[in-house]
Amino acid sequence: VSHRQKEGLMQKMTILCTGKLKEKFYLDAVAEYVKRLSRFCKLEIIELPEERLPENPSPAQIEAALSKEADAVRAKLPNGCLVIAMCVEGRERSSEELARYLADSAAQSASHIVFLIGSSFGMHESLKRQAALRLSMSPMTFPHHLLRVMLLEQIYRAYQINAGSRYHK
């Protein structure tokens, strides 16, 4: 199998985030995992702008902002992709379970997996309903920018587990 043919068989992975990463230490960590993952998948990170909200937004203002963000996310979703929504009320999975889920998805010809990360106010309910899986990292609350780094590390770990490497102990 030539390198070019292998490229064509590589699973596509997209991290679709609302909000821009600015902190250098997060950017450096993301860049490191993007580099590591390039051996396993075609990874794309898409950042969409977060809606501006007043200092103490009302529930209605938050709902309107999340709805607009959801529309922007939907406009970027590729046809036929498998959507995984990162949300606190999602199901927690171990690294091994996530690795198995990704491997099973690939086996069932899910050639493109999209992970959704919401804004600092979360993610609109309609997007969560659209997802094949709602995934939670922890019942703890994390900054959504840190979540991006954690998610990339877990995707990398999943590929390592599935490859039988010693990275995962």
Side-chain angles (χ1 to χ4, degrees), residues 16-65:
L16 191 47
C17 322
T18 303
K20 192 159 174 51
L21 210 54
K22 295 179 191 79
E23 298 88 345
K24 186 179 180 337
F25 59 97
Y26 287 145
L27 290 166
D28 290 346
V30 165
E32 177 59 30
Y33 285 109
V34 166
K35 190 175 82 184
R36 290 183 187 189
L37 279 162
S38 67
R39 296 184 10 240
F40 299 101
C41 63
K42 285 176 163 168
L43 177 69
E44 182 181 21
I45 297 175
I46 300 172
E47 290 182 330
L48 297 173
E50 196 167 346
E51 288 296 312
R52 293 202 187 283
L53 281 165
E55 193 63 48
N56 293 303
S58 69
Q61 288 171 315
I62 292 170
E63 172 64 23

Side-chain angles (χ1 to χ4, degrees), residues 10-157:
M10 227 182 229
Q11 193 171 37
K12 282 186 184 165
M13 200 68 70
T14 300
I15 314 281
L16 191 47
C17 322
T18 303
K20 192 159 174 51
L21 210 54
K22 295 179 191 79
E23 298 88 345
K24 186 179 180 337
F25 59 97
Y26 287 145
L27 290 166
D28 290 346
V30 165
E32 177 59 30
Y33 285 109
V34 166
K35 190 175 82 184
R36 290 183 187 189
L37 279 162
S38 67
R39 296 184 10 240
F40 299 101
C41 63
K42 285 176 163 168
L43 177 69
E44 182 181 21
I45 297 175
I46 300 172
E47 290 182 330
L48 297 173
E50 196 167 346
E51 288 296 312
R52 293 202 187 283
L53 281 165
E55 193 63 48
N56 293 303
S58 69
Q61 288 171 315
I62 292 170
E63 172 64 23
L66 291 178
S67 180
K68 277 181 86 171
E69 289 170 359
D71 290 342
V73 167
R74 265 191 287 281
K76 289 285 184 191
L77 284 176
N79 285 334
C81 67
L82 177 76
V83 177
I84 299 176
M86 303 302 298
C87 47
V88 73
E89 72 277 17
R91 183 164 156 226
E92 287 175 49
R93 290 183 177 234
S94 68
S95 297
E96 293 85 354
E97 287 174 314
L98 180 61
R100 225 177 358 264
Y101 183 85
L102 294 180
D104 291 348
S105 300
Q108 292 159 11
S109 71
S111 59
H112 195 162
I113 297 177
V114 179
F115 287 88
L116 302 181
I117 299 177
S119 66
S120 49
F121 282 96
M123 185 184 301
H124 196 263
E125 197 53 46
S126 64
L127 278 179
K128 295 176 193 176
R129 282 197 301 269
Q130 206 174 328
L133 173 69
R134 294 179 196 197
L135 184 62
S136 172
M137 283 289 196
S138 165
M140 294 179 190
T141 303
F142 294 102
H144 64 294
H145 295 328
L146 178 57
L147 178 68
R148 190 183 310 187
V149 175
M150 293 165 60
L151 175 60
L152 285 165
E153 192 283 333
Q154 284 300 301
I155 294 169
Y156 177 69
R157 183 175 296 273

